Amino acid sequence: MKDNIYFRAAMNYPVFHYLTKRAEIMCGIAGIISARHSMAHLSRQVREMGCAQKHRGPDGRDFHAAGVCGLNIALGFVRLAILDLETGMQPICCPTDDTAIVCNGQIYNYIELRPEVADQPFVSSGDVEVALHLYRRHGIEFLHRLNGMYAGAILDPKKAKLFLFRDRFGIKPLYYTATNGAFAFASEIKPLLAGLEITPQLNTDRLASYFVYRYVPGEQTMFDGIYRLPPGAYLEYDLNARGFAIYQYWNYITGQQDAGLDLQSAADGFFDIFRDAVRIRLRSDVELGSFISGGIDSSAVAAAAVGTHPDMRLYTASFDEPAYDELPDVRRFLQTRSRWFSQSRLRPAVCGKESLEGLADIIAAVEEPISLGTILPTDCVCRAAAADVKAVLTGEGADEIFAGYKKFMIEMAAEQYSRMTAAGQARVNRHYSELENYLATRSHDPARRYIQAEALFDSAELKRLLGIVPDQPVFPGEAAPALTGHEHPVNAAISFESRCRLPDYVILRLDKLSMRHGLETRTPFLDYRLAEFAARLPVSMKVNLGLNREKLICAYSFVRHGLLDARTAFRKKQPFTFPMADWLSEPRTLPEPIREVVLGNLVQQHNVLDSGFVRRLSENITAAGVGPQTLVSQADRLFSVIVFTLWYQHFMRDYQNFRTREDN
């Protein structure tokens, strides 16, 4: 039964203005509904929206326009061709009832689904038209049948509806906004600014959230009036009523354990689903590659993939700093499976301090301020892969679904601490230096507890940084997962991780940075079948304090089935980040834009953050005792300020100044 989150009147938002006026090529997906503008005007706007995201699809373009219920509607699309190279262009319109679809991403199980609608009038052999005909047969419930990563729109003139929809984990982004004259959506934010000529405005209500969580969780973005469609949800726009409602069609529910499931049976069940998740993500009409880090997740994906693609290209990030460099681990693993990888080619992408020169461009590409150290190496490895292939497999998602982060081990230790012997308490204290402070302040509220161990700034610091005393930061209501209140604390943390941090932080940066280079990334661990399987597992099969092991089921299964050697499978997780404290500790060596932030000059010009607080923060940066396993350091705090300030300069200053010059 669908859950109506809320209903909004869509035509009473303020009108905005924006930036650029050119019409060369369309990309991604975009659309506009308007009662005030002509079809010709909407067509131009949709092309404008394409210009603003042309990096997402260089291989073709098209658009579809229709008039329904006194409204003019335009859908736009540009293509990065991966499947159905000859006939896969969109939008696709059914000739029998004029139902039309645009969809960004891939529906991996389309081959299995196509026989269900084989009697329909097909004009292509790809995946998206299968989704269109499934909708025509089953209505919006067709979403339950899809397995993939997708964000799309369906225009149904007969029902006078426009549906926006997004995959279960929000792997593909979808944004929307509404003005006095139009409702618009797009794969990225810049198309909304460009197509509707919006002057971007800062969403001050989310400033505190960003500086606590390192990102903005939930439906709101840091742009006032621009929203994300939640993962696992669809938006139903009523063209008669000219308003919309959002419904959740899938929630990730943990804790429904499969009683009597032993570790061996669980490992076999996990492996069967994992192997099939990789198999269907190898469907492509172009050459594929794979990211590999030397850790368990990406190594398992690459090893499973070369079984059918022995010449697969492999890409990894490398650092000069040994503590952060995983290249030796990658090479060692490939040597253990040298027969499997004998035809593969490994291409390391070196991520050095000079990559900071491109940080402002990276932040502009991500569009939202995300204080995540992995953005630099992610951009480096995506650039390297895009020079050779159009799509890669990755290991993202395993840490969120199967509890792969240090925070989950700390949560398990906190939950069991009072029942441990003195020796057991001493042992976990040695393993987790953060545990003592966490136990002293651990909240009973799962939302507050979830972020507590790695919050960037506390309330007193936020007061100095922002000049306000925010309420105790919690996740916005619409961002919170569906909890019963009886979940194991680790499962509650997994639910928050999967509902919030995964789509709004981890996957968002992967999509934006890969598509920046015209590269598609595929994530087998985010196959919903694996997630639902993980939800039924006992917590002890995910994190095990006795073995000091996170993601136990993954490691055990991969060794049991010979996919990984034991050293790789049981290697402790290495966070994918750059030597932040080392690189930021000497301001004089930083690129000029970052140096201007660190010294407080750019911060003072913006008058959003306290420049004195920022200068004092930068003076306390030290690399001593800081490494890839450090959850929160002074460098992390400073990096959040750098990211926000460069983001603010690009979107709130440079864009607005450009628009002012254009108007004059």
Side-chain angles (χ1 to χ4, degrees):
M1 182 173 156
K2 63 186 181 180
D3 173 27
N4 186 341
I5 299 178
Y6 48 75
F7 184 89
R8 276 206 191 100
M11 293 302 180
N12 54 8
Y13 282 66
V15 177
F16 299 99
H17 298 284
Y18 174 54
L19 152 72
T20 180
K21 293 188 176 179
R22 52 184 182 147
E24 301 168 358
I25 186 170
M26 295 191 300
C27 59
I29 68 168
I32 303 178
I33 303 172
S34 177
R36 297 174 55 187
H37 301 105
S38 69
M39 199 68 78
H41 181 83
L42 258 60
S43 298
R44 287 193 299 272
Q45 285 182 299
V46 167
R47 286 189 172 91
E48 293 277 350
M49 297 170 81
C51 292
Q53 56 178 352
K54 59 180 180 289
H55 51 278
R56 295 190 72 94
D59 298 326
R61 59 171 178 154
D62 206 348
F63 75 98
H64 171 77
V68 183
C69 301
L71 296 171
N72 289 327
I73 304 164
L75 308 178
F77 177 79
V78 82
R79 186 183 188 207
L80 176 67
I82 306 292
L83 281 169
D84 189 16
L85 303 185
E86 297 299 323
T87 64
M89 182 51 65
Q90 301 178 45
I92 298 174
C93 186
C94 179
T96 60
D97 59 11
D98 294 328
T99 306
I101 188 171
V102 287
C103 187
N104 169 37
Q106 298 288 335
I107 298 164
Y108 299 120
N109 64 334
Y110 76 101
I111 292 176
E112 290 78 10
L113 293 172
R114 187 174 176 119
E116 298 182 22
V117 288
D119 58 334
Q120 298 301 306
F122 276 86
V123 297
S124 72
S125 59
D127 56 332
V128 172
E129 192 173 9
V130 173
L132 174 64
H133 291 307
L134 284 171
Y135 164 79
R136 295 178 60 246
R137 177 152 294 175
H138 300 292
I140 199 62
E141 298 299 315
F142 87 102
L143 292 169
H144 294 284
R145 309 184 63 76
L146 305 186
N147 187 347
M149 56 175 189
Y150 45 83
I154 291 177
L155 174 62
D156 189 336
K158 285 192 173 181
K159 293 182 179 178
K161 305 280 189 184
L162 175 82
F163 293 98
L164 305 183
F165 56 90
R166 197 173 175 203
D167 66 71
R168 292 170 178 83
F169 284 110
I171 304 171
K172 284 298 176 183
L174 190 56
Y175 299 92
Y176 66 92
T177 190
T179 75
N180 287 332
F183 173 89
F185 64 89
S187 298
E188 297 192 357
I189 292 172
K190 287 187 288 289
L192 298 176
L193 303 178
L196 299 183
E197 298 184 331
I198 294 173
T199 298
Q201 301 291 331
L202 177 65
N203 181 2
T204 56
D205 290 342
R206 287 294 178 261
L207 269 176
S209 293
Y210 166 74
F211 283 107
V212 171
Y213 307 133
R214 311 182 199 213
Y215 69 106
V216 178
E219 186 190 358
Q220 293 190 40
T221 69
M222 199 64 94
F223 295 85
D224 191 34
I226 294 179
Y227 302 87
R228 309 181 193 108
L229 183 65
Y234 67 89
L235 181 152
E236 180 179 326
Y237 191 105
D238 188 319
L239 299 172
N240 280 312
R242 303 188 181 185
F244 64 86
I246 293 178
Y247 303 95
Q248 200 74 34
Y249 71 86
W250 189 82
N251 279 302
Y252 186 47
I253 308 295
T254 60
Q256 300 175 346
Q257 294 186 11
D258 190 347
L261 186 66
D262 60 81
L263 183 59
Q264 290 78 16
S265 299
D268 294 343
F270 163 83
F271 192 76
D272 287 343
I273 302 173
F274 170 78
R275 185 169 49 188
D276 193 62
V278 173
R279 178 186 66 84
I280 62 176
R281 281 160 181 79
L282 289 170
R283 290 172 172 169
S284 172
D285 293 331
V286 298
E287 184 180 4
L288 299 175
S290 186
F291 289 167
I292 186 168
S293 68
I296 179 174
D297 310 325
S298 60
S299 297
V301 169
V306 294
T308 55
H309 291 64
D311 59 346
M312 178 167 282
R313 298 173 187 248
L314 307 174
Y315 304 90
T316 191
S318 177
F319 293 92
D320 293 331
E321 294 82 356
Y324 293 81
D325 187 28
E326 297 186 82
L327 182 57
D329 295 299
V330 172
R331 287 178 169 153
R332 188 206 62 78
F333 167 67
L334 295 180
Q335 186 59 39
T336 69
R337 298 293 185 267
S338 57
R339 182 172 57 85
W340 296 0
F341 290 100
S342 61
Q343 299 179 50
S344 299
R345 289 163 288 174
L346 175 65
R347 181 176 176 182
V350 178
C351 184
K353 189 173 181 178
E354 67 278 0
S355 63
L356 286 172
E357 297 278 356
L359 181 60
D361 291 336
I362 290 172
I363 293 168
V366 176
E367 299 186 305
E368 302 190 55
I370 292 179
S371 181
L372 183 64
T374 189
I375 59 176
L376 286 176
T378 298
D379 190 70
C380 289
V381 75
C382 285
R383 179 185 295 109
D388 302 324
V389 298
K390 285 188 174 182
V392 294
L393 275 66
T394 84
E396 260 81 8
D399 290 325
E400 290 76 19
I401 302 302
F402 291 98
Y405 293 123
K406 187 178 183 180
K407 68 176 79 172
F408 296 118
M409 298 296 289
I410 293 174
E411 190 62 58
M412 179 67 102
E415 195 277 333
Q416 295 184 0
Y417 196 82
S418 63
R419 302 191 299 275
M420 291 180 182
T421 64
Q425 291 178 348
R427 180 174 58 83
V428 295
N429 283 329
R430 286 195 304 272
H431 282 307
Y432 309 109
S433 59
E434 304 89 351
L435 181 59
E436 183 178 357
N437 287 337
Y438 181 57
L439 286 169
T441 58
R442 187 173 180 239
S443 173
H444 293 290
D445 180 351
R448 295 180 180 178
R449 188 170 67 231
Y450 166 65
I451 200 63
Q452 199 168 342
E454 53 182 320
L456 273 185
F457 295 96
D458 60 28
S459 296
E461 292 169 326
L462 289 175
K463 172 66 169 68
R464 295 197 297 273
L465 178 64
L466 302 176
I468 58 173
V469 181
D471 295 333
Q472 179 69 31
V474 295
F475 277 84
E478 83 276 359
L483 297 179
T484 64
H486 302 292
E487 291 85 1
H488 188 285
V490 171
N491 276 335
I494 289 173
S495 296
F496 274 96
E497 191 82 7
S498 302
R499 175 60 183 83
C500 306
R501 188 176 180 274
L502 177 64
D504 300 338
Y505 187 54
V506 176
I507 293 297
L508 180 66
R509 125 270 171 193
L510 181 65
D511 174 84
K512 297 291 184 67
L513 292 180
S514 61
M515 294 308 298
R516 177 192 182 201
H517 300 289
L519 180 73
E520 179 181 281
T521 50
R522 299 181 172 187
T523 52
F525 280 104
L526 290 180
D527 189 303
Y528 78 94
R529 297 171 299 169
L530 268 180
E532 292 180 347
F533 179 84
R536 298 193 300 272
L537 293 176
V539 171
S540 61
M541 291 187 188
K542 302 171 189 176
V543 292
N544 190 296
L545 289 178
L547 297 174
N548 191 28
R549 181 67 215 176
E550 69 279 355
K551 287 185 299 193
L552 175 64
I553 187 65
C554 303
Y556 180 82
S557 178
F558 292 145
V559 172
R560 175 178 171 85
H561 290 275
L563 195 64
L564 300 182
D565 63 289
R567 180 175 171 182
T568 299
F570 287 95
R571 171 178 175 248
K572 292 300 292 181
K573 178 174 177 58
Q574 170 85 353
F576 188 47
T577 186
F578 71 93
M580 195 179 294
D582 286 331
W583 292 5
L584 299 181
S585 60
E586 299 181 17
R588 68 181 184 278
T589 66
L590 296 172
E592 182 179 357
I594 299 177
R595 188 168 63 248
E596 287 297 295
V597 179
V598 171
L599 296 177
N601 300 331
L602 198 56
V603 174
Q604 189 170 18
Q605 291 178 28
H606 294 167
N607 198 31
V608 177
L609 310 179
D610 184 272
S611 58
F613 181 84
V614 173
R615 281 192 295 270
R616 290 190 295 274
L617 192 62
S618 65
E619 291 167 358
N620 293 324
I621 300 299
T622 176
V626 178
Q629 300 290 343
T630 305
L631 287 180
V632 179
S633 70
Q634 289 293 90
D636 289 301
R637 294 183 173 93
L638 180 60
F639 190 64
S640 71
V641 171
I642 292 170
V643 168
F644 173 79
T645 304
L646 293 178
W647 173 86
Y648 188 90
Q649 179 66 29
H650 183 82
F651 286 102
M652 301 296 147
R653 287 296 182 89
D654 293 346
Y655 274 10
Q656 290 186 2
N657 291 340
F658 186 97
R659 180 62 187 169
T660 300
R661 292 195 302 270
E662 187 181 61
D663 288 341
N664 293 334

